[in-house]
Amino acid sequence: MSKAKASDPTATTLNFKDPQYYFNRELSWLEFNYRVLHEALDPRTLLLDRLKFLAIFNANLDEFFMVRVAGLKQQVEADVHKLTPDGRTPSQQLEEISDRLRPMVEQQDQIFEHTLRPQLASEGAYLVNYFDLHQEQRKYLQQFFEAHIFPVLTPLAVDPSHPFPHISNLSLNLAVLVQDPETKEELFARIKVPQVLPRFVKLPNDLQDSGEKAVVWTGVPLEQVIAHNLETLFPGMNVQECYPFRVTRNADIALEEDEADDLLLAIEKELRKRRMGGSAVRLEIQASMPDSVRQTLMRGLDLDEIDVYEVEGLLGLQDLMTLLKLPLPHLLEPAWTPVVPPRIQRMFDSAEASRKLERDDGEDIFQLLSQGDLLLHHPYYSFTSSVQEFITQSACDPHVLAIKMTLYRTSGDSPIVKALIQAAENGKQVVALVELKARFDEENNIQWARTLEQAGVHVVYGLVGLKTHTKIVLVVRQEANAIKRYVHVGTGNYNPKTARLYTDLGLLSCRDELGADLTDLFNFLTGYSRQKSYRKLLVSPVNLRDRLMTLIDREIKNVQGGGTGRIVAKMNSLVDPKMIAKLYAASQAGVKIDLIVRGICCLRPQLPEVSENINVISIVGAFLEHSRIFYFYNQGEDEVYIGSADWMPRNLDRRVEAVTPIEDPEIVKDIQEILGVMLADNRQAWELQEDGSYQQRQPETRTQSRSAQKMLMEMALGS
């Protein structure tokens, strides 16, 4: 196969539209979720952490069905036959999802019932089945049921005068068969397991069996407590059988923005529809459920066999997350305490010293940034003492004239929201662009957006047809006889809670060109602007795609000119066919490419004469790898970029994203070191194979284990 011609770095003899060069998006996501499941399967993971990953695996599946599977089913119903880049129809994808997922569901069921549950018991924590309880324990639970559970329950009959009830999304239910003793007629009823009650009912200490090992906790699944006390709900009837089941519904919001006079009201209307739930897309049942009950549920929910998933043990294992609070700290990795960045710590020390001397000359965040850019790596570095401190000081500083920021996801009680309110109360010009279309955070965003508006903050709800996903802050400050602009450009949300769980990068800077670019970008977001170029920023949907293509082309040209080509890119997902084709062309030219892709990767690495110069790894660990980093060798003049955009069509074409260059040589070295550490991981890194499978790297000995997260923690502590 011939190489690309030197005169045209994008020339190729291959048709990169051929499906053989792409993995399926949905199946690739399932492989990612299997890597999450593997953390629960891996005996090297501490016991409670194994339960946590099992819960995350199940929660991920819920969202996958609510959005991705629901979308595929809608395409089938609409008779859509358009092929994906990998050549599959919606129906084929649904079938292959089912085939790949069922072994995973069985595996997670087996590991919980036969490994993790017994190991919990060996540590004195017993999650027991109701039929294993002795008489005194059952008597207590009967009294508990009558006092705390029975008043909340509502049995719903299903017969000609009672149509099949609406079963809410993600609800756990009981299908109950009862018999009328007079007519001998068998009847069907549904009981919803209340989500307002704890999933596991704890037995009092005096009823917890003691043995050789101290008992720290004994609990019983709530649905089993209900199931064994059904006579109270159906007096005078003979309860025959009872089977738990769980329903997942379409929860994606369909919004015609062009027809909405008020985006806020339109999304509120759609949220009300979501609470009711769209069409059912999945039915989870216990394997022991008889076919007659199964068929009743399938008919009532309008589902087919492909939509039914059998489980041997408990349903809804995402509720295992509540067990992380058990008093067994040795079974859980110690929580990481973020480090205050050294330069910021010196700022705090300076301010404290000034206060003690009753002076007003301590260093503030603006003086600190005037000395040079600051790179933040969360959660290794503290979000609270850096980004939050930047916004808080800006809100209080009398010289700050304006604060503008985008808010995609944050907590309603966030100190950042409070700081913006305080800034508005202090008379500053405050603008918050709130993305109402942030999936599953819409309601939360609406609530605190209204709070901001009431405080005098100018709240903007984004652009029609574009989701605003960028993470940026602009602070305008009067200094001496000039206006100076300070900026933050990040890869993650302005949420102090998730900043302790997700790895993200952020740049604090007062570079003039970045400040000017963010000014232009906010004018684009809040007013009428058709900005076509930026000084430094790469912005989608304006110039990000084209600029990335140009950067890859430059590496190709350098190789063809006898030099070296090198690209390292870290992101959450790689889906975009055009970007993948460009990477193939670079590989063919001889550019060495390392990709760190946490989740979906549709690129096929190591294909002879196509992608043999491309290696792909995925890292799944205690923190969710969320940062996006793009490195280009550029003949030794290294260029590094960080930002909010993955390489997916939606990020490059249908979202507002911002990617910033890193221009401080020392920070470039820091990011190169971060990438090097991640590429060297042999504890939690998985290598993508040519056939789409992943193989986990294994150190030869325990002492040779190199976890990127552990190494980055050590780097932060040593900084």
Side-chain angles (χ1 to χ4, degrees), residues 179-187 237:
Q179 186 185 61
D180 187 323
E182 296 181 1
T183 65
K184 303 302 181 182
E185 181 183 7
E186 191 171 74
L187 306 169
M237 305 294 283

Side-chain angles (χ1 to χ4, degrees), residues 499-543:
R500 298 178 67 92
L501 304 173
Y502 296 2
T503 62
D504 275 302
L505 290 172
L507 178 73
L508 283 169
S509 175
C510 61
R511 292 181 182 268
D512 290 339
E513 289 181 303
L514 276 182
D517 274 351
L518 258 67
T519 299
D520 289 342
L521 181 51
F522 273 107
N523 288 341
F524 168 65
L525 293 171
T526 64
Y528 294 111
S529 167
R530 292 190 180 276
Q531 189 78 17
K532 295 297 184 182
S533 63
Y534 291 86
R535 301 157 188 84
K536 295 292 182 180
L537 285 181
L538 313 185
V539 176
S540 71
V542 181
N543 66 344

Side-chain angles (χ1 to χ4, degrees), residues 611-627:
S611 56
E612 55 194 354
N613 286 313
I614 303 178
N615 295 306
V616 181
I617 67 168
S618 170
I619 296 177
V620 176
F623 301 140
L624 184 74
E625 289 297 333
H626 193 250
S627 58

Side-chain angles (χ1 to χ4, degrees), residues 38 238 419 545 573 577 583:
H38 187 272
N238 295 326
R545 178 190 287 278
S573 299
L583 291 172

Side-chain angles (χ1 to χ4, degrees), residues 44-56:
R44 296 175 297 177
T45 307
L46 293 178
L47 179 56
L48 291 184
D49 283 309
R50 296 176 78 175
L51 293 180
K52 177 186 73 175
F53 280 107
L54 205 58
I56 294 171

